[in-house]
Amino acid sequence: MPPKADINKAGWEQSEFPILCETCLGDNPFIRMSKQEFGRECGTCARPFTVFRWNPGAGMRFKTTVVCQTCAKTRNVCQTCLLDLEYHLPTQVRDTALGVANEAPTSDINREYYAQNQESKFAGSENKLNDGRASSAGREMLKQLARTEPYYKRNRPHICSFYAKGDCNRGTECPYRHEMPVENDLSKQNIQDRYLGQNDPVARKILAGHADKQGLKPPEDESVMSLFLSSLPASATEDTVRTRVIKSLPGVEPTSLRSVVHVAKSRCAFVNFKDRVSAERAAEAWANGLDIDGERLGVRWGRSKNTSATTPAVPAVPAV
């Protein structure tokens, strides 16, 4: 019985070619690729799918697809590295810049049901992330961070575990890299966090580095949990500022926002958070500014109460 005629296999995926980025595909123009129908379960929705395996080039490791095409289309990512296909960045960086909330469920019960419903939405439709509603500041941020050239170094063989223990005796014939592993935050990555765009250490590093370059490095005083918004449009109110702040931070819980103090006369506002982590996430998301009613707002950290009077710039955060 054909797989599609079996009710238990109706949601299983069959495809002829994978959805890949240029880096994962490799620089070999004569690539040979193996195909195995229902070779493994998807790393996110757990449904069986067609697995592809290939060698991207000389001296590289064999690569394989780890998620099904439905999940890849839902998040517009490569089936292997799970990076965004347009900007070649982690999904957490893209979602933070565009203010997009991930709608994919995380529970085992709902993931397969959600994936099956998504299949019917892709017929003749374009990527939902390119709907034109994203702010110009977010698009500008992604253009600055986007990788424009393939990064084939990412296809190198894995580190030899025997060499790390001092037991490898294969020498130059060993197909793995003879390097000592580095233990840090970047070594703790997993498929679910990369796909869902949460707790991704690579994304955290990219966002924090970009915020530093834009002059939004977090102050040393941990008690500062406020951001100062300047150049607000004349039509702005406390409610409109609050609404825009919440919508632009899908990765921050609305309950983390303590208050918004709008100073209409000076056309500025203070956004006060309940914890330092939420304030840092907001600074990273607004590194290129925040758009409200077509106006680009300036964003700066609030000034610490202990800052000397000679320090230029931002007014002290009002008490709330």
Side-chain angles (χ1 to χ4, degrees):
M1 179 182 294
K4 295 299 183 181
D6 188 344
I7 187 63
N8 295 320
K9 299 181 179 180
W12 294 11
E13 177 197 280
Q14 288 179 294
S15 54
E16 297 299 327
F17 196 81
I19 300 174
L20 301 173
C21 63
E22 188 175 353
T23 296
C24 289
L25 190 59
D27 59 351
N28 183 7
F30 306 103
I31 190 172
R32 300 175 64 182
M33 186 176 293
S34 65
K35 169 186 173 183
Q36 182 182 8
E37 292 187 354
F38 316 131
R40 63 185 293 182
E41 67 177 27
C42 174
T44 58
C45 70
R47 299 186 308 162
F49 73 105
T50 303
V51 176
F52 296 89
R53 188 172 184 267
W54 70 99
N55 190 319
M60 304 297 179
R61 72 177 186 273
F62 274 86
K63 309 201 75 172
T64 184
T65 51
V66 297
V67 298
C68 66
Q69 291 198 3
T70 300
C71 291
K73 292 176 182 178
T74 300
R75 298 287 283 156
N76 192 39
V77 297
C78 170
Q79 281 188 267
T80 298
C81 66
L82 303 184
L83 296 181
D84 179 74
L85 290 172
E86 182 177 357
Y87 300 103
H88 309 291
L89 294 169
T91 56
Q92 186 171 347
V93 176
R94 179 199 64 196
D95 294 350
T96 299
L98 300 181
V100 176
N102 176 31
E103 300 175 352
T106 57
S107 65
D108 295 337
I109 298 177
N110 296 326
R111 285 185 302 179
E112 184 175 349
Y113 176 76
Y114 176 82
Q116 290 177 351
N117 289 340
Q118 287 296 106
E119 290 182 347
S120 60
K121 299 180 180 180
F122 293 130
S125 63
E126 298 181 355
N127 174 25
K128 66 178 182 179
L129 296 174
N130 296 326
D131 57 5
R133 292 180 296 177
S135 68
S136 59
R139 295 288 184 186
E140 181 180 328
M141 176 178 171
L142 289 177
K143 289 179 181 179
Q144 294 176 2
L145 295 175
R147 186 183 293 276
T148 57
E149 297 293 335
Y151 185 63
Y152 296 125
K153 188 177 179 180
R154 201 172 66 222
N155 298 334
R156 294 181 301 168
H158 293 297
I159 293 177
C160 178
S161 60
F162 289 95
Y163 177 82
K165 295 183 293 185
D167 296 335
C168 184
N169 55 9
R170 302 179 69 177
T172 56
E173 296 181 358
C174 183
Y176 299 97
R177 285 159 42 208
H178 280 192
E179 299 177 7
M180 294 303 295
V182 178
E183 292 293 333
N184 53 29
D185 292 339
L186 298 183
S187 61
K188 301 175 183 178
Q189 305 179 38
N190 61 76
I191 292 177
Q192 286 292 332
D193 286 346
R194 172 60 56 82
Y195 179 80
L196 296 175
Q198 60 185 18
N199 303 322
D200 188 345
V202 177
R204 288 269 69 84
K205 181 179 179 181
I206 294 175
L207 290 170
H210 181 67
D212 289 352
K213 291 181 180 179
Q214 299 298 320
L216 283 176
K217 182 178 180 179
E220 296 181 359
D221 187 355
E222 294 287 339
S223 65
V224 179
M225 295 180 289
S226 301
L227 294 174
F228 176 72
L229 307 180
S230 59
S231 304
L232 268 69
S235 59
T237 64
E238 181 177 327
D239 289 339
T240 59
V241 174
R242 180 187 295 273
T243 301
R244 183 68 183 98
V245 166
I246 293 176
K247 288 185 176 180
S248 67
L249 301 174
V252 177
E253 293 293 333
T255 55
S256 298
L257 182 63
R258 181 186 300 275
S259 64
V260 173
V261 181
H262 178 226
V263 185
K265 184 178 180 180
S266 302
R267 294 178 60 183
C268 65
F270 288 93
V271 182
N272 305 309
F273 294 90
K274 295 181 180 179
D275 57 88
R276 176 60 176 256
V277 175
S278 298
E280 291 181 359
R281 298 294 88 83
E284 293 168 357
W286 303 338
N288 283 71
L290 177 65
D291 294 338
I292 296 182
D293 296 336
E295 298 285 342
R296 179 73 58 85
L297 310 187
V299 181
R300 303 182 64 178
W301 278 95
R303 191 177 67 183
S304 171
K305 296 180 181 179
N306 299 325
T307 304
S308 62
T310 57
T311 303
V314 183
V317 180
V320 291

